Amino acid sequence: MVDTGIGSYFKFSNVDWSSMGTATWETFWMTAVSIIVVAVLGFLLGLLLFETTDSDSLLIKALNWIVSAIVNIFRSIPFIILIVLLLPATQVIMGTIIGAQAALPSLIISAAPFYARLVEIAFHEIDRGVLEAAEAMGATKAQIIFKVLLPESLPALVSGITVTAISLIGYTAMAGAIGAGGLGNTAYLDGFQANNNAVTLTATVIIVLIVFVFQFIGDFAVKRIDKR
């Protein structure tokens, strides 16, 4: 008797669990490393955009326009195209265009501008009266940044980095489709191209679980930080 049910479509006995474990680690590693760099770079870019807004200086206005243009350009380029465009730079920086390490430049360059805008928005939502009060008390620029801007916007910054991290997980899957490793690579090569539906489904479920974990951690952190 021929099994025409779900068991015949998803043959989990064909899943190489060792390979799946390695792919899961690669996806997690790519996401974790990227999000650390993106958090720092995105914060600095967002801060720069915020500090150069509404300046009377032509030089500062020009700087704001240039940084804003760069951020908007890289936010607008579809990720799969950005990977291809950055292949020469990736080869120079990482020494390879294959594997998990090779995906890092594209992941960082695509996500940092996105997070920078979230940082800028978070800073602009802070009550101007709080900033003016700090300035009136003689606070230095560094004190305003680390004792006013950062604490006041921290819940929004953490929420933003959570959203960015989830986007990065999706990007790693796309990067895997062109040889960057991880669950995307496994789902495409070992699953789709090998006509092994069980591998594709398993990789998808693991990606969803990773997203849930990052979302849970982000939501938990925001609840602990937000004292409103």
Side-chain angles (χ1 to χ4, degrees):
M1 180 177 180
V2 178
D3 183 4
T4 58
I6 192 170
S8 63
Y9 192 75
F10 297 110
K11 296 180 180 179
F12 291 99
S13 59
N14 293 336
V15 176
D16 184 343
W17 295 105
S18 176
S19 177
M20 191 66 69
T22 300
T24 301
W25 167 248
E26 287 177 343
T27 294
F28 181 81
W29 181 84
M30 283 189 285
T31 304
V33 173
S34 298
I35 206 62
I36 291 171
V37 179
V38 165
V40 175
L41 185 57
F43 176 82
L44 294 176
L45 285 172
L47 180 62
L48 181 60
L49 289 169
F50 174 77
E51 291 292 341
T52 56
T53 301
D54 299 327
S55 174
D56 295 327
S57 169
L58 288 177
L59 184 62
I60 299 300
K61 285 183 178 179
L63 176 62
N64 179 271
W65 185 89
I66 292 170
V67 175
S68 182
I70 292 172
V71 166
N72 289 338
I73 288 170
F74 282 101
R75 282 179 63 205
S76 303
I77 301 174
F79 180 71
I80 196 68
I81 296 176
L82 183 63
I83 295 176
V84 176
L85 290 175
L86 291 176
L87 284 178
T90 300
Q91 178 67 52
V92 172
I93 296 170
M94 309 304 296
T96 180
I97 59 173
I98 301 296
Q101 277 188 314
L104 293 180
S106 299
L107 292 171
I108 293 167
I109 291 174
S110 65
F114 174 76
Y115 184 56
R117 283 301 185 191
L118 296 181
V119 171
E120 183 190 13
I121 292 170
F123 287 161
H124 278 298
E125 289 180 347
I126 297 174
D127 188 352
R128 292 296 303 178
V130 176
L131 298 175
E132 291 170 359
E135 292 173 353
M137 289 187 293
T140 64
K141 183 64 69 175
Q143 288 174 328
I144 291 175
I145 291 172
F146 291 105
K147 294 187 177 181
V148 180
L149 278 178
L150 193 54
E152 289 291 325
S153 63
L154 193 56
L157 295 180
V158 173
S159 180
I161 203 65
T162 302
V163 172
T164 306
I166 291 172
S167 296
L168 277 170
I169 295 169
Y171 291 163
T172 63
M174 284 188 279
I178 61 169
L183 290 166
N185 186 73
T186 298
Y188 182 70
L189 292 181
D190 299 339
F192 175 72
Q193 287 199 337
N195 197 30
N196 191 339
N197 300 304
V199 169
T200 304
L201 177 62
T202 302
T204 302
V205 170
I206 295 173
I207 289 173
V208 171
L209 290 175
I210 293 175
V211 169
F212 282 170
V213 169
F214 274 88
Q215 187 68 62
F216 174 79
I217 293 172
D219 291 344
F220 179 78
V222 170
K223 288 180 181 178
R224 294 296 300 268
I225 294 169
D226 195 350
K227 303 301 180 182
R228 291 172 297 180

